[in-house]
Amino acid sequence: MKKTKRIGVIYTPLNISTALIEKGGSLTQTHSAENSEFVPDRELTPLVLVPEVYVNDPDGIIPNGKIALSNVMWYALPQDLVSNIGSLSYLNKEVSQYLITSATPGYSVAEDGTLTVSKNIDYLSPVVLVFTANYADGRSGKILRLQATATLSTTSVAISPSLTLDKPATFLFNPMEDTGMRTINASLMIGGKPVTSLDCSAAYWWYKIENGAEVLIDPESDLFYEGGVGTASLKIDPRYVDNSLCIVCKAEYALAGEALPAAPTSKCQTARTTVVRRYPDYDFENYVHGGVEVPTGATVVKNECVVTVGRKVLDSPSKWFTVKWSIKKATHDADWMDIGYGDSILIDAKEFENGADVGLEVEPFEPLGPMMLNGVALCIDGEVLTF
């Protein structure tokens, strides 16, 4: 009878370090639902993972350093699946469908085991990358199974929208030089891009400030209104503006598939501008033809209104101003009497026999407004008559 005993050498376990080195891109991304952008976008900047394995033999039998691997494989597993199966110390057939092959979209594996990921990951569906490889222990000839993991995750971020108007906070309307309408254009942007280019819908509301409160502009009663309510462009006629008019735009947007609110919410975007109706600085004087000393034999004295704006003398002041003339005799208790309107006036020379003062008043025109009769605006075919 032969009795046997197996005698073998016991080797000290190797110290093995496995790392997945990011040579390009990033394991994490951010995603904006508003503009459908990933940062970084792996379609433009792929993630490159290079597996590197180092060994250290405490007994010094095999050299220390980076080792060659065989049977390299990569898996892309849903994170919730990894949570359910627990340990990844071994991979069963049930996860073989997640093995990365040349037919797996968004992934590619090079001959040296480098993994390139060109797929963007939805923030609700993180992916766990599993790297596996074999290493033959040169001391014992045993095959060691190596493994490392990395998680691809995405964070959803909200980009604050912005609403701007193509007019400054205050812009002037000079009735003497400006004519025609003014259009105020609103721009609702997300991440520097118009919402219309991001598959979003938008709604706009236009208000005026009246007695300190925001009041929706009424196309029927607001004479300055010319068009654009409900759109991104409001058209107004500043000739109807009395002194100043503050206009407020409010905007809301909705992503594809979402409904816009019927009215602005507390989170709406707001922008405002104020149009100021203002005459330029001007001066005026009464130019008396022939001088203030009326010669004997004169029949009339011509008084002419001269208005200067800057260094320019107006050809016809009454085109822009109400020019009113009055006279007051140089007698006790005499009162001013209105004697006419217009750029000039001819006054009978007899009015100055005992001396008299001629008064000149120049007032800028009031803004356009409705024609009133007994406190009621006059209309024709529903349209308010203005002057």
Side-chain angles (χ1 to χ4, degrees), residues 26 114 121 133 136 141 157 178 183 188 224 245 269 346-347 385:
S26 174
T114 297
I121 303 300
V157 296
D178 298 341
T183 300
L188 184 58
F224 63 82
L245 171 67
Q269 301 303 304
L346 297 176
I347 304 176
L385 298 179

Side-chain angles (χ1 to χ4, degrees), residues 297-375:
T299 59
V300 294
V301 177
K302 183 177 181 180
N303 290 254
E304 183 176 3
C305 175
V306 177
V307 176
T308 55
V309 177
R311 297 182 178 181
K312 180 181 178 182
V313 177
L314 299 184
D315 293 333
S316 178
S318 59
K319 184 178 180 180
W320 311 109
F321 299 88
T322 298
V323 181
K324 183 172 74 171
W325 299 92
S326 58
I327 191 171
K328 184 172 74 169
K329 297 293 185 65
T331 59
H332 180 66
D333 293 336
D335 293 325
W336 286 101
M337 294 188 303
D338 295 339
I339 55 175
Y341 295 84
D343 293 337
S344 63
I345 190 170
L346 297 176
I347 304 176
D348 193 322
K350 293 180 179 180
E351 298 289 340
F352 304 102
E353 289 180 349
N354 297 313
D357 295 325
V358 177
L360 172 62
E361 297 174 72
V362 173
E363 295 291 340
F365 284 158
E366 295 292 325
L368 296 182
M371 296 181 66
M372 306 294 291
L373 180 62
N374 298 326

Side-chain angles (χ1 to χ4, degrees), residues 31-292:
H31 177 255
S32 168
E34 287 84 358
N35 59 12
S36 300
E37 282 189 351
F38 287 89
V39 179
D41 187 342
R42 293 201 182 102
E43 294 181 357
L44 303 176
T45 308
L47 167 65
V48 179
L49 290 177
V50 179
E52 293 186 356
V53 182
Y54 294 85
V55 66
N56 172 262
D57 180 6
D59 297 330
I61 298 175
I62 60 176
N64 298 329
K66 187 176 178 180
I67 59 177
L69 305 172
S70 63
N71 197 28
V72 174
M73 289 185 290
W74 286 89
Y75 294 82
L77 305 178
Q79 190 178 57
D80 55 356
L81 175 63
V82 175
S83 301
N84 291 331
I85 65 177
S87 174
L88 291 173
S89 59
Y90 62 91
L91 297 175
N92 298 321
K93 292 181 180 180
E94 63 188 34
V95 297
S96 61
Q97 60 180 307
Y98 301 106
L99 176 66
I100 295 174
T101 67
S102 59
T104 305
Y107 301 90
S108 64
V109 181
E111 292 184 2
D112 64 354
T114 297
L115 174 67
T116 300
V117 182
S118 57
K119 179 180 181 180
N120 294 314
I121 303 300
D122 185 86
Y123 81 99
L124 294 176
S125 305
V127 172
V128 177
L129 298 175
V130 181
F131 160 78
T132 65
N134 292 340
Y135 170 64
D137 188 342
R139 305 169 306 172
S140 63
K142 291 182 179 180
I143 300 299
L144 303 180
R145 188 68 167 165
L146 307 177
Q147 181 178 290
T149 63
T151 301
L152 301 177
S153 62
T154 300
T155 301
S156 179
V157 296
I159 298 179
S160 299
S162 63
L163 179 66
T164 58
L165 303 178
D166 65 349
K167 294 290 185 291
T170 300
F171 66 98
L172 298 179
F173 173 75
N174 177 0
M176 297 184 67
E177 297 180 358
D178 298 341
T179 58
M181 310 301 171
R182 291 291 185 275
T183 300
I184 304 171
N185 297 304
S187 298
L188 184 58
M189 313 283 282
I190 299 177
K193 297 180 179 180
V195 293
T196 52
S197 67
L198 301 174
D199 197 24
C200 296
S201 55
Y204 300 87
W205 294 265
W206 294 92
Y207 296 79
K208 62 181 179 180
I209 300 297
E210 191 173 84
N211 298 323
E214 295 178 350
V215 180
L216 278 170
I217 291 176
D218 187 346
E220 299 298 327
S221 62
D222 289 319
L223 297 179
F224 63 82
Y225 173 78
E226 289 293 329
V229 161
T231 74
S233 297
L234 179 72
K235 190 175 183 180
I236 65 171
D237 187 344
R239 295 178 302 170
Y240 291 90
V241 172
D242 187 5
N243 295 323
S244 66
L245 171 67
C246 181
I247 293 176
V248 178
C249 179
K250 295 186 178 183
E252 295 273 6
Y253 73 96
L255 301 178
E258 295 181 348
L260 285 165
T265 67
S266 59
K267 296 181 179 180
C268 72
Q269 301 303 304
T270 303
R272 64 177 58 201
T273 185
T274 300
V275 53
V276 177
R277 181 182 184 274
R278 180 181 297 168
Y279 269 67
D281 291 337
Y282 64 91
D283 196 7
F284 66 94
E285 63 176 323
N286 176 11
Y287 175 71
V288 182
H289 288 253
V292 295

